Amino acid sequence: MRFSDGRIGLRDDYTDFRAELVGFGADNEAVFARLLEE
């Protein structure tokens, strides 16, 4: 999911797992951003 301020996170509604991708580095965040655009 992409937050209104531009941050990207993962959310699993089934298990209620949530993680913000900022902690994984700018390169990994960019990869996930590209996946969200597809």
Side-chain angles (χ1 to χ4, degrees):
M1 68 181 302
R2 187 183 303 268
F3 297 97
S4 61
D5 64 2
R7 292 177 298 125
I8 299 174
L10 300 174
R11 180 176 67 191
D12 180 351
D13 291 331
Y14 183 74
T15 63
D16 202 33
F17 173 80
R18 295 169 189 230
E20 290 188 34
L21 298 177
V22 69
F24 295 98
D27 291 339
N28 285 331
E29 186 176 0
V31 170
F32 279 102
R34 283 195 302 269
L35 289 172
L36 286 175
E37 293 170 2
E38 293 181 6

